[in-house]
Amino acid sequence: PEWFEPVDVVCFTASAGFDGMAKGGPLAVTAAWGENREYGYALDGYLVEWDWRLTGTSTFYGRGEAVLKEIFGLGLHPPGVPIEPLVLSHVNALTLGYVFDIPQITRTRLGIGADISVYKTSEDLVEYYGSPHSYHVFLRWRPTRSAMAHMH
């Protein structure tokens, strides 16, 4: 256990992946599950994420998550002090995004993209977090494979 936790946490995980083609484009998908067992509770988390290259320059990606966590009451649980009933909260998130690869410039690959994330939380979190969401716009840089061969 951690120094601030009086009990061991038993963890289980499992995942599966797919890497192949879908409608003529490469598709990579991962699905995962994890569970922490502590204080007599089973706290599960689920995840699915994907990256799908639609064309030579367009990629659609996303990630969905659902977790059950102890958000409130994360203070110290000293040994010998009874554990109060845990307040368990649900947090779900969905991210969808797109990247456009700009035609190749010598020894680099540039892409411009954007994504949006939306969240759904259990009622106990709404007062503190509301209905959170986020937006990102980004520029991605990757060296080409031939440029990587010249790095030392």
Side-chain angles (χ1 to χ4, degrees), residues 18-28 51-56 58:
F18 170 81
D19 190 9
M21 301 293 284
K23 295 196 180 206
L27 172 66
D51 185 89
W52 185 16
R53 193 158 185 94
L54 303 170
T55 68
S58 297

Side-chain angles (χ1 to χ4, degrees), residues 16 22 26 39 49 52 94 100 114 140 146:
Y39 306 117
E49 62 183 9
W52 185 16
L94 176 65
F100 173 77
R140 182 195 66 207
S146 60

Side-chain angles (χ1 to χ4, degrees), residues 32-63:
W33 162 81
E35 180 178 87
N36 287 349
R37 291 186 181 174
E38 57 185 315
Y39 306 117
Y41 294 90
L43 306 177
D44 289 303
Y46 303 91
L47 160 75
V48 175
E49 62 183 9
W50 66 91
D51 185 89
W52 185 16
R53 193 158 185 94
L54 303 170
T55 68
T57 58
S58 297
T59 302
F60 173 62
Y61 65 91
R63 179 180 178 115

